[in-house]
């Protein structure tokens, strides 16, 4: 079942923003994109980690493209209880053109279809630009909670 509307692929690449679920063939391009467009790194930023994500939830990684090239991503993970947003990233030269807004709208629509009631986002404290973008999208820090982590692998 496709959750995101799938645009017909034109014969030639267009500069129109196109959103679609990422597929395994996209992973090398996505990982390279994150190295240039995403702030910070994650223990899961490798092919095996993203393959596990797509195996478990093939619709979770939403890819934005222009002209057939990746220009943005967001991971919209839903575990049946909570809606989590990760890896919202837009190519530096494509920022402030509506890509993040479109990605978040697609993620939020996905959550609503799946029965989600509240979304949370992982945002680096030091990332001022991201904090502004999330705030503009209607998100706010939840000061009552603190993220606790424990690496499970060395």
């Amino acid at each position: 079942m496709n959750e995101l509307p799938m645009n017909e692929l034109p014969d030639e690449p267009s500069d129109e923003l196109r959103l679609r679920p990422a597929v395994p063939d996209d992973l090398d391009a996505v990982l390279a994109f994150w190295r240039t467009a995403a702030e910070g790194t994650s223990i899961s930023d490798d092919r095996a980690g993203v393959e596990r994500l797509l195996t478990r939830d093939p619709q979770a990684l939403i890819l934005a493209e222009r002209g057939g090239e990746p220009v943005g991503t967001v991971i919209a993970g839903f575990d049946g209880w909570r809606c989590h947003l990760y890896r919202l990233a837009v190519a530096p030269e494509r920022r402030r053109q509506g890509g993040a807004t479109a990605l978040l709208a697609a993620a939020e629509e996905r959550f609503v279809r799946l029965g989600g009631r509240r979304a949370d986002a992982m945002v680096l404290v030091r990332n001022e630009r991201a904090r502004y973008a999330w705030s503009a999208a209607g998100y706010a820090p939840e000061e009552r909670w603190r993220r606790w982590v424990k690496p499970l692998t060395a």
Side-chain angles (χ1 to χ4, degrees):
M1 170 175 76
N2 289 333
E3 294 180 28
L4 289 176
M6 300 298 283
N7 300 338
E8 291 289 323
L9 284 176
D11 293 334
E12 295 185 23
S14 154
D15 198 45
E16 182 177 323
L17 186 67
R18 179 175 181 266
L19 301 180
R20 65 175 177 83
V23 296
D25 287 346
D26 296 320
L27 296 189
D28 291 332
V30 166
L31 290 166
F33 173 77
W34 284 346
R35 285 191 292 274
T36 63
E39 181 75 24
T41 58
S42 167
I43 194 170
S44 302
D45 286 356
D46 59 22
R47 187 171 182 90
V50 183
E51 283 175 342
R52 275 190 301 279
L53 170 69
L54 293 186
T55 297
R56 185 184 178 291
D57 188 350
Q59 302 287 318
L61 176 53
I62 302 171
L63 180 62
E65 298 176 315
R66 284 191 194 272
E69 296 298 317
V71 296
T73 64
V74 68
I75 296 174
F78 181 64
D79 61 13
W81 181 258
R82 300 198 195 261
C83 306
H84 301 289
L85 294 160
Y86 310 91
R87 280 295 181 229
L88 176 63
V90 176
E93 69 278 6
R94 295 291 190 163
R95 291 181 181 153
R96 306 209 40 92
Q97 297 177 15
T101 300
L103 284 161
L104 285 177
E108 291 166 0
E109 289 168 13
R110 174 177 200 260
F111 291 151
V112 169
R113 279 193 306 275
L114 293 172
R117 294 187 259 171
R118 178 183 65 193
D120 64 52
M122 297 294 300
V123 182
L124 289 171
V125 172
R126 71 174 190 263
N127 190 339
E128 289 278 334
R129 186 180 317 120
R131 290 190 340 212
Y132 173 79
W134 285 103
S135 178
Y139 290 78
E142 176 61 66
E143 300 298 336
R144 298 179 304 157
W145 302 96
R146 180 76 51 196
R147 181 176 182 222
W148 292 38
V149 298
K150 175 184 176 184
L152 300 176
T153 59

